Amino acid sequence: MKSSSSYVSPNGPFCQSKLTFLSVLTACLLATNVTVWGQHETTVPQNAYGRNKISLNGNWQYFVDRYEAFFYDFVRVPFDSSAIGKRDFAALDGRAKDKTDRYEYSFDGAKELKVPGDWNSQVQELLHYEGSIWYRKLFDHSDLPIENKLLLYFGAVNYRADVYVNGKKAGIHTGGFTPFAFDISELVKSGQNSLVVRVDNKRAKEAVPTDVTDWWNYGGITREVSLIKLPNVYVQDYQIQLNPENLKELLGYVELSTEYTGPVTIKSEELGLWITLDFNNQQKVSLKKRINKPFVLWSPEHPKRYDFELSVSEDRITDKIGLRTIRAEGNQLLLNEKPIFLRGICAHEENPLKGRRNTSKDDALQLFKWVKDLNANYMRLAHYPHNEHMPRLADSLGILLWEEIPVYWTIDWTNKETYHNAEKQLSDMISRDHNRSSVIIWSLANETPNTEDRLVFLKKLAKKARSLDQSRLLSAALFKQNLGDGVYTISDPFAEYTDVVSFNQYLGWYESTPEVLDNAYFKFDKAKPVIVSEFGAGAKQGFRGDSLTRWSEDYQNDLYKRTLKFLDRIPNLVGFSPWILADFRSPRRQLPIIQEGWNRKGIVGQNGTYKQAFYTLQEYYNEKNKKR
Ligand code: GCB
């Protein structure tokens, strides 16, 4: 038995010994629902993507903990609550201190998983695994100058991460698609360090997303892990964009890690800008500056980005930012004050060729190659925030983006923790991407049934989104309602709270057969732009038949042709995004021979071959683009 006197609470003061057993237990269990928790949590610095980082990507050792034997004891008390003191978590890196130690697990000699990466596609037996896996990475570190900070940054972990550095708990994060960070300055030591992460991807009713979705629940450390070294005063956040009311003026702010007195500079040589913001015992100062030089507005045709450099004291960070405005006026969508039509497509963050989560820039480029071939100028990144390569590349390639959070189908609307979790994911997505010119729409929900509780939940989310970013549009993928005689509308009360009215519709697939589209009309009397956020049909690539043979490319193609005509009859339509770019894995889709665990609504097959509908849409977009 290890001595408890040397034991340091992994969970910080919250779980220290003066608390009673019960309160410790309650506190520790409560932690399962919160988004970030633990005394070392810290805000992710703006543009973590562009900072100098020490990568911890690569091979990590792991073991599968199907019965959670390393997290809970036999009466389901978490081990890492110190008052219970069942285990010295200094041994969490899985190595015995001496030969008298009884230990039943070890990372030494354990197999390895690649980070970033999902575990499902890396190990055959883990394809369907949903549960806990423990990961370890050893890394070397030399002492930090006392005035420096060391952040441990995760691009995303699905779904819950319990993070330990040298046996001490850094914290917990829940939510599978957004970045998080811990300040581990006080946890690291000179020499070899051990980083252990327990990843748990079990689905839960109260989680966001909830337990029922139509995509693969890839588990693991799916995005990059790195160390970020920062001076004490650093640029925590900034926003730089055009003033929507004056296209010659920059608007924004700079926020520092702490209150500060002194100058902060923002430089852009190409724009001829050298701005000094004087901080006077302040943490955040706003920015407003006229651009006197002529410059190129960012657009899909000219995705011009300008280099900006921000510096304060010893900190310096650079970013490439496109300058544009977006707003809705009446039935129109105005990009840089000119009407734009969104020639779109939906996508999951998945590589169909490899049957796994996207992890790299190359994976993202693969999706963009198809999107560019389609002559699209817009993507809906469904149904959760995608990795940061997507908005970065979209900025450089001139693709407009809709980003969304996984408030999908049946969220636990009345559960406070569920709301808190959704709001945190929304804030983290907005905060990560609020300098990306490609992102024009934040979407708050997908196909959520119309109830009073859901309206309360979504209204609160919309209010939050508007408080964080007034420069982009809000939307949600809603359901249409049938008025009879082939006329459809949106009567969802949440449409009042969005800037763009969007709806998913599956006429000809889930409802009837494609000819129903020939007499379908959409009517929406309010002066708002309309986006059709989904339509589509399943087709097995290479399977041919006539236009009424379900699952054939011909059926899908016929549905596309008829849907495109139906869409042309929608007066307020400013764009659409068919479902979906490529076939994707989904456990809901088990039709033998045809589906085999894949949703086949892609217009690109699992092997990368274009289906007939791809060419139909491509031709439509070519024509649409000519008419611009
Ligand atoms: C939808 C959902 C999407 C599904 C799709 C389908 O409406 O938004 O997540 O995958 O339908 O294929 O049924």
Side-chain angles (χ1 to χ4, degrees):
M1 191 71 188
K2 294 181 173 82
S3 128
S4 57
S5 60
S6 65
Y7 189 75
V8 185
S9 164
N11 285 340
F14 202 43
C15 286
Q16 262 163 13
S17 56
K18 285 201 187 93
L19 295 174
T20 63
F21 176 84
L22 256 182
S23 62
V24 168
L25 189 55
T26 320
C28 293
L29 292 179
L30 266 176
T32 53
N33 274 334
V34 295
T35 309
V36 182
W37 185 80
Q39 69 184 133
H40 300 281
E41 68 169 281
T42 191
T43 313
V44 175
Q46 181 55 228
N47 189 12
Y49 192 92
R51 288 210 170 253
N52 272 337
K53 284 172 290 188
I54 303 158
S55 173
L56 297 180
N57 293 343
N59 291 341
W60 290 46
Q61 292 137 320
Y62 79 96
F63 61 85
V64 179
D65 190 11
R66 194 154 164 232
Y67 280 18
E68 300 188 293
F70 304 98
F71 196 70
Y72 299 109
D73 72 2
F74 71 106
V75 286
R76 218 177 153 71
V77 172
F79 282 121
D80 64 353
S81 51
S82 68
I84 300 157
K86 290 275 174 162
R87 175 190 287 174
D88 180 352
F89 259 65
L92 233 183
D93 65 3
R95 280 177 299 182
K97 283 200 188 106
D98 58 55
K99 65 179 183 172
T100 66
D101 263 5
R102 181 183 68 81
Y103 66 100
E104 297 184 45
Y105 70 101
S106 174
F107 283 106
D108 294 335
K111 291 191 182 129
E112 291 177 332
L113 279 170
K114 281 220 170 353
V115 169
D118 63 72
W119 61 56
N120 315 71
S121 64
Q122 296 189 55
V123 180
Q124 182 55 37
E125 307 86 79
L126 298 179
L127 178 64
H128 295 278
Y129 184 67
E130 293 183 310
S132 278
I133 287 192
W134 292 83
Y135 285 74
R136 183 184 71 173
K137 181 80 176 168
L138 299 175
F139 64 94
D140 283 324
H141 174 71
S142 43
D143 274 340
L144 282 174
I146 197 91
E147 68 281 4
N148 276 18
K149 266 183 194 297
L150 191 70
L151 305 193
L152 172 62
Y153 167 81
F154 291 84
V157 172
N158 191 35
Y159 174 78
R160 167 171 161 158
D162 287 75
V163 179
Y164 306 82
V165 176
N166 295 325
K168 294 180 189 147
K169 193 146 195 171
I172 299 171
H173 179 266
T174 56
F177 305 98
T178 40
F180 55 97
F182 301 106
D183 180 348
I184 58 162
S185 317
E186 284 166 17
L187 299 181
V188 282
K189 55 181 198 229
S190 196
Q192 193 179 67
N193 288 263
S194 145
L195 167 59
V196 168
V197 185
R198 172 227 189 207
V199 182
D200 183 2
N201 76 332
K202 273 194 301 302
R203 286 167 295 125
K205 187 177 160 295
E206 65 283 0
V208 184
T210 184
D211 51 355
V212 182
T213 69
D214 187 22
W215 69 83
W216 206 265
N217 179 28
Y218 290 110
I221 305 178
T222 49
R223 297 188 190 156
E224 69 159 297
V225 185
S226 50
L227 298 172
I228 311 181
K229 226 185 251 185
L230 292 166
N232 240 335
V233 182
Y234 60 91
V235 177
Q236 170 60 57
D237 190 15
Y238 56 87
Q239 191 165 18
I240 299 174
Q241 59 185 37
L242 276 192
N243 181 349
E245 276 148 31
N246 176 356
L247 272 60
K248 290 255 161 242
E249 191 170 70
L250 279 189
L251 271 192
Y253 64 85
V254 177
E255 185 178 342
L256 302 178
S257 50
T258 174
E259 285 176 356
Y260 180 70
T261 300
V264 173
T265 58
I266 304 170
K267 244 186 352 183
S268 173
E269 246 172 63
E270 223 185 327
L271 287 169
L273 289 177
W274 187 302
I275 307 164
T276 304
L277 299 178
D278 287 314
F279 278 65
N280 186 3
N281 214 11
Q282 287 160 293
Q283 198 166 347
K284 188 170 174 179
V285 166
S286 55
L287 152 80
K288 191 173 185 170
K289 182 81 184 171
R290 193 183 151 80
I291 311 170
N292 292 319
K293 268 196 162 178
F295 66 96
V296 181
L297 289 168
W298 185 97
S299 68
E301 295 73 37
H302 302 287
K304 169 72 187 160
R305 296 171 303 156
Y306 289 93
D307 286 317
F308 284 88
E309 181 185 299
L310 290 90
S311 2
V312 55
S313 183
E314 289 158 50
D315 192 36
R316 185 184 150 274
I317 174 124
T318 59
D319 206 348
K320 283 184 182 304
I321 301 179
L323 302 175
R324 57 110 189 93
T325 58
I326 185 81
R327 67 186 185 92
E329 190 180 86
N331 295 343
Q332 289 188 320
L333 203 59
L334 303 177
L335 180 78
N336 301 324
E337 294 301 303
K338 292 196 196 105
I340 180 151
F341 190 85
L342 304 174
R343 309 188 306 274
I345 189 78
C346 293
H348 266 294
E349 189 193 17
E350 191 175 275
N351 183 330
L353 308 175
K354 308 265 171 71
R356 58 160 172 75
R357 212 5 113 241
N358 276 357
T359 52
S360 65
K361 204 169 175 175
D362 283 348
D363 288 337
L365 280 167
Q366 174 65 79
L367 296 186
F368 284 119
K369 185 188 165 298
W370 292 330
V371 169
K372 282 282 182 186
D373 266 7
L374 201 55
N375 201 358
N377 63 2
Y378 162 72
M379 277 176 96
R380 173 182 176 203
L381 304 185
H383 280 302
Y384 38 77
H386 287 207
N387 69 50
E388 209 172 336
H389 298 301
M390 291 302 289
R392 295 276 173 175
L393 285 167
D395 271 14
S396 73
L397 296 169
I399 301 291
L400 296 156
L401 296 180
W402 153 312
E403 292 197 344
E404 76 188 66
I405 49 168
V407 173
Y408 180 93
W409 291 352
T410 56
I411 291 291
D412 196 352
W413 304 112
T414 52
N415 184 326
K416 282 200 179 88
E417 283 305 333
T418 303
Y419 176 78
H420 174 72
N421 186 333
E423 188 188 280
K424 183 80 173 83
Q425 294 193 46
L426 174 72
S427 313
D428 290 347
M429 171 178 76
I430 294 179
S431 148
R432 192 193 73 178
D433 290 344
H434 68 200
N435 287 310
R436 304 285 64 88
S437 37
S438 52
V439 181
I440 54 168
I441 295 171
W442 303 123
S443 177
L444 303 174
N446 179 76
E447 293 186 348
T448 47
N450 181 6
T451 64
E452 195 45 45
D453 291 335
R454 165 267 197 183
L455 187 62
V456 170
F457 188 109
L458 293 188
K459 273 165 64 178
K460 235 168 126 186
L461 276 186
K463 197 167 165 202
K464 180 71 186 178
R466 292 202 192 280
S467 76
L468 295 172
D469 185 10
Q470 293 91 50
S471 71
R472 289 178 178 80
L473 306 168
L474 292 192
S475 201
L478 306 176
F479 289 114
K480 65 177 179 349
Q481 282 73 43
N482 190 345
L483 295 175
D485 296 331
V487 181
Y488 298 89
T489 192
I490 299 296
S491 48
D492 187 324
F494 190 58
E496 291 287 320
Y497 300 88
T498 64
D499 303 303
V500 179
V501 173
S502 308
F503 66 99
N504 297 349
Q505 76 82 23
Y506 282 91
L507 284 174
W509 182 253
Y510 292 123
E511 297 165 66
S512 189
T513 44
E515 68 282 355
V516 71
L517 284 151
D518 301 346
N519 293 308
Y521 297 87
F522 181 80
K523 180 169 159 281
F524 188 71
D525 296 335
K526 309 226 170 58
K528 281 198 184 187
V530 169
I531 290 180
V532 173
S533 33
E534 284 180 32
F535 71 85
K540 178 83 191 272
Q541 185 272 319
F543 174 48
R544 305 301 300 267
D546 60 20
S547 64
L548 283 174
T549 308
R550 287 248 175 198
W551 306 110
S552 71
E553 286 195 33
D554 308 76
Y555 187 107
Q556 186 192 42
N557 194 23
D558 183 56
L559 179 138
Y560 265 65
K561 286 184 177 160
R562 292 175 199 262
T563 305
L564 293 172
K565 288 191 184 135
F566 160 59
L567 298 181
D568 283 341
R569 295 193 291 271
I570 300 181
N572 307 10
L573 193 78
V574 296
F576 56 85
S577 48
W579 190 257
I580 183 171
L581 183 61
D583 289 357
F584 61 97
R585 280 192 194 276
S586 169
R588 291 172 68 84
R589 311 291 173 171
Q590 295 301 339
L591 185 67
I593 304 163
I594 301 286
Q595 292 179 317
E596 306 281 1
W598 289 73
N599 183 315
R600 297 290 181 199
K601 294 193 189 69
I603 53 172
V604 177
Q606 186 184 336
N607 60 0
T609 306
Y610 297 164
K611 302 180 194 174
Q612 297 304 305
F614 185 101
Y615 298 107
T616 296
L617 188 62
Q618 184 186 52
E619 194 183 316
Y620 181 92
Y621 283 162
N622 285 342
E623 286 306 309
K624 196 89 189 166
N625 197 23
K626 274 189 216 149
K627 286 191 205 132
R628 240 182 340 112

